Amino acid sequence: MATVTFSAAGETLYAYLAGEIDHDAAQSLRMQLDDALVSRSPRTLIIDLGGVGFMDSSGIGLILGRQRCARVLGTTLRLQHAPAQLQKVLRLAGIPCMENTEKENEQ
């Protein structure tokens, strides 16, 4: 079972995901994230993956779908705090994480 909690700071909306993201969980998360995107209209949506212990291909689909949805609404979507094992999967899918970019910029 996965959960999402939201926190707003100015025009940025943070979505903190936790638990295991499989097919069933991804459907529930999709509805909640889409509702937040439409109802809150943030300039930036940051999905924090720090609490995610497992994510299958449904999670990748969830993120890719939210990227498309955010783009249509004029919202920038970013990911942060992905555990190491998720970063590998995300990189293979061509999905960048914020901390990777920040570390490269610091060097």
Side-chain angles (χ1 to χ4, degrees), residues 73-88:
L73 295 170
T75 299
T76 300
L77 186 138
R78 299 212 164 119
L79 303 178
Q80 70 179 16
H81 301 138
Q85 71 273 17
L86 290 184
Q87 286 183 30
K88 291 178 187 178

Side-chain angles (χ1 to χ4, degrees), residues 34-53:
D34 285 353
D35 181 58
L37 275 169
V38 172
S39 66
R40 299 182 187 207
S41 301
R43 181 174 298 242
T44 304
L45 172 63
I46 297 178
I47 297 178
D48 188 299
L49 299 169
V52 176

Side-chain angles (χ1 to χ4, degrees), residues 6 29-30 40 60 65 80 105:
F6 295 98
L29 293 172
R30 178 187 54 79
R40 299 182 187 207
I60 297 297
Q80 70 179 16
N105 291 338

